[in-house]
């Protein structure tokens, strides 16, 4: 299996180094050989090659079986014309990574803000909605027709809604609880979220064993805080999914534990849910578990269950002990010391 590692900006290089060390430790448990090629994106690539995501990187990503994608500081990039493209958006579009799978669960021993048990997965549409950098064929989906007036296009298609609904139902059908909630705002966005809901309902017919409900996005936010155990899989459009998944992850212990997988018909990219955290970059403070857990999702996607289980077990064991946690979870370990703990556990646990 060929993986492409793209470290990115801010804490990206630190959490990518940690993730590759964990992958190395788990390599003997993998059924196939894993080759990792590393390339630069973000500011490092802008400096060296004039673009935050050079064409050669896109080509390498298309040729790889999977991508390990670090966070990027795209808000700080220069304009597109000066090479400042959002690598995450570009890769999602070029690799047709239409589903962003974002789990959030309470970890034993970790202080959680969740009101009771919580184990949810937000399945977020990744390629349309309000995302101006990827929702148009040509040009951005956001513009200013006259000074003082800004417009944003929200694109919802039956095709994308069907694909994300199918990804959500397939996932829900594989989980013990087998529940799926479609999250929407069809009371206001009658046409666009109406189309989304009609499509999800149609897909639901093929999954009679999955309990299906529809919840307004504002109510869903309240329910996640008040009674998260009512949810299992949440399927939603791009921006609602982005916001709700951050809320869900924060309730479960924070962004440092928030992994995700971007998936499409022929490519996958493991990517932490958070941004590049410039406030803690280069200080050995980042929690790499977010990207490491994203790696385990990628490994599971390729059937490497044994390696994924071992890595997740090591993460759970480290999180359970306050002495082996990073500072975002009230612990004392830096990124590298936490990684060493994980590697040791992976190598020594039978
Ligand atoms: P960006 O501009 O790239 O979006 P940001 O700092 O605005 O970066 P995030 O990177 O999502 O947004 O970070 C939000 C907060 O969560 C920051 O205070 C950051 O330090 C913290 N944080 C994010 N990821 C981690 C991590 N892996 N470990 C520890 N703290 C993190």
């Amino acid at each position: 299996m060929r993986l492409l590692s793209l470290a990115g900006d801010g804490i990206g290089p630190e959490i990518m180094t940690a993730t590759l060390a964990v992958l190395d430790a788990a390599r003997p448990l993998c059924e196939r050989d894993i080759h990792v090629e590393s390339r630069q994106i973000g500011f490092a690539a802008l400096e060296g090659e004039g673009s935050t995501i050079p064409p050669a990187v896109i080509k390498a990503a298309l040729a790889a079986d999977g991508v390990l994608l670090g966070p990027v500081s795209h808000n700080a990039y220069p304009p597109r014309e000066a090479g400042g493209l959002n690598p995450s958006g570009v890769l999602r579009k070029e690799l047709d990574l239409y589903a962003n799978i974002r789990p959030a669960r309470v970890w034993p021993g970790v202080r959680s803000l969740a009101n009771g048990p919580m184990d949810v997965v937000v399945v977020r549409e990744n390629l349309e909605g309000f995302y101006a950098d990827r929702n148009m064929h040509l040009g951005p989906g956001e513009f200013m027709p006259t000074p003082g007036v800004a417009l944003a296009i929200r694109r919802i298609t039956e095709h994308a809604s069907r694909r994300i609904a199918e990804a959500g139902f397939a996932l829900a059908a594989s989980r013990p609880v087998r529940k799926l909630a479609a999250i929407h705002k069809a009371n206001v966005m009658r046409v666009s979220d109406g189309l989304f809901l009609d499509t999800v309902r149609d897909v639901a017919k093929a999954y009679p064993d999955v309990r299906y409900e529809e919840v307004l996005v504002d109510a869903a936010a309240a329910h996640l805080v008040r009674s998260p155990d009512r949810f299992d899989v949440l399927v939603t459009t791009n921006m609602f999914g982005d916001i709700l998944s951050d809320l869900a992850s924060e309730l479960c212990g924070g962004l440092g534990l928030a992994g995700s997988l971007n998936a499409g018909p022929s490519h996958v990219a493991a990517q932490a849910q958070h941004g590049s955290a410039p406030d803690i970059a280069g200080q050995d403070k980042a929690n790499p578990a977010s990207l490491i857990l994203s790696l385990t999702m990628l490994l599971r996607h390729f059937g490497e269950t044994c390696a994924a289980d071992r890595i997740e077990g090591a993460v759970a064991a480290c999180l359970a002990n306050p002495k082996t946690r990073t500072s975002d979870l009230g612990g004392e370990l830096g990124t590298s010391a936490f990684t060493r703990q994980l590697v040791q556990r992976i190598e020594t646990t039978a």
Side-chain angles (χ1 to χ4, degrees):
M1 173 165 44
R2 283 168 309 147
L3 298 182
L4 180 68
S5 143
L6 306 170
D9 302 307
I11 59 171
E14 294 161 84
I15 63 172
M16 187 61 78
T17 302
T19 302
L20 294 179
V22 162
L23 176 61
D24 266 345
R27 229 177 253 273
L29 299 159
C30 292
E31 284 176 21
R32 63 196 95 181
D33 287 339
I34 299 184
H35 304 278
V36 182
E37 179 195 354
S38 297
R39 297 256 185 158
Q40 288 186 328
I41 53 166
F43 279 116
L46 183 68
E47 210 170 286
E49 297 168 67
S51 168
T52 51
I53 175 132
V57 172
I58 300 173
K59 213 171 149 197
L62 283 164
D65 295 303
V67 176
L68 295 173
L69 179 58
V72 288
S73 302
H74 63 96
N75 289 328
Y77 291 167
R80 296 168 75 88
E81 309 77 66
L85 296 160
N86 175 359
S88 171
V90 169
L91 285 176
R92 287 174 185 184
K93 198 167 172 175
E94 294 288 335
L95 273 55
D96 197 18
L97 302 171
Y98 66 86
N100 190 198
I101 318 287
R102 295 184 153 196
R105 65 168 159 122
V106 171
W107 291 84
V110 174
R111 187 176 162 269
S112 142
L113 298 171
N115 193 14
M118 180 163 179
D119 182 359
V120 304
V121 185
V122 176
V123 177
R124 162 196 176 195
E125 200 289 322
N126 229 356
L127 296 179
E128 52 175 34
F130 268 125
Y131 281 67
D133 64 340
R134 70 200 76 149
N135 64 3
M136 305 291 275
H137 172 60
L138 198 61
E142 204 185 25
F143 48 97
M144 190 170 273
T146 55
V149 178
L151 301 177
I153 302 285
R154 178 171 183 260
R155 176 185 157 105
I156 300 292
T157 62
E158 184 185 344
H159 172 66
S161 302
R162 186 170 296 281
R163 290 207 295 186
I164 202 64
E166 276 165 359
F169 274 103
L171 176 66
S174 73
R175 288 167 56 90
V177 177
R178 284 200 236 150
K179 261 172 89 174
L180 184 143
I183 310 298
H184 66 97
K185 192 70 183 168
N187 55 341
V188 178
M189 320 284 264
R190 288 178 188 274
V191 177
S192 53
D193 267 359
L195 173 62
F196 170 71
L197 278 188
D198 281 347
T199 313
V200 182
R201 281 176 203 151
D202 194 45
V203 175
K205 290 181 200 152
Y207 292 88
D209 293 345
V210 175
R211 273 179 292 159
Y212 174 63
E213 65 171 339
E214 293 167 359
V215 186
L216 286 166
V217 64
D218 40 341
H223 286 310
L224 274 173
V225 173
R226 192 186 307 152
S227 47
D229 58 339
R230 73 169 271 161
F231 290 123
D232 181 26
V233 173
L234 298 89
V235 169
T236 191
T237 50
N238 202 342
M239 195 170 282
F240 294 162
D242 192 20
I243 298 166
L244 286 183
S245 55
D246 268 24
L247 171 64
S249 297
E250 208 49 53
L251 287 172
C252 288
L255 288 174
L257 298 176
S260 91
L261 189 71
N262 298 286
S266 44
H267 295 93
V268 285
Q271 182 181 23
Q273 290 180 30
H274 55 73
S276 60
D279 55 336
I280 55 166
Q283 299 169 42
D284 195 40
K285 281 187 183 162
N287 185 349
S290 51
L291 191 57
I292 291 167
L293 292 170
S294 309
L295 165 70
T296 65
M297 295 177 75
L298 182 143
L299 290 171
R300 283 192 201 288
H301 175 87
F302 288 109
E304 296 288 0
T305 336
C306 191
D309 283 349
R310 182 77 69 88
I311 298 171
E312 257 177 47
V315 171
C318 281
L319 295 181
N321 181 351
K323 290 201 174 119
T324 49
R325 292 182 196 153
T326 44
S327 56
D328 55 315
L329 300 175
E332 287 169 13
L333 296 189
T335 315
S336 6
F338 177 72
T339 307
R340 280 197 295 277
Q341 285 284 338
L342 285 179
V343 166
Q344 197 186 356
R345 281 178 197 272
I346 292 165
E347 286 173 348
T348 54
T349 314

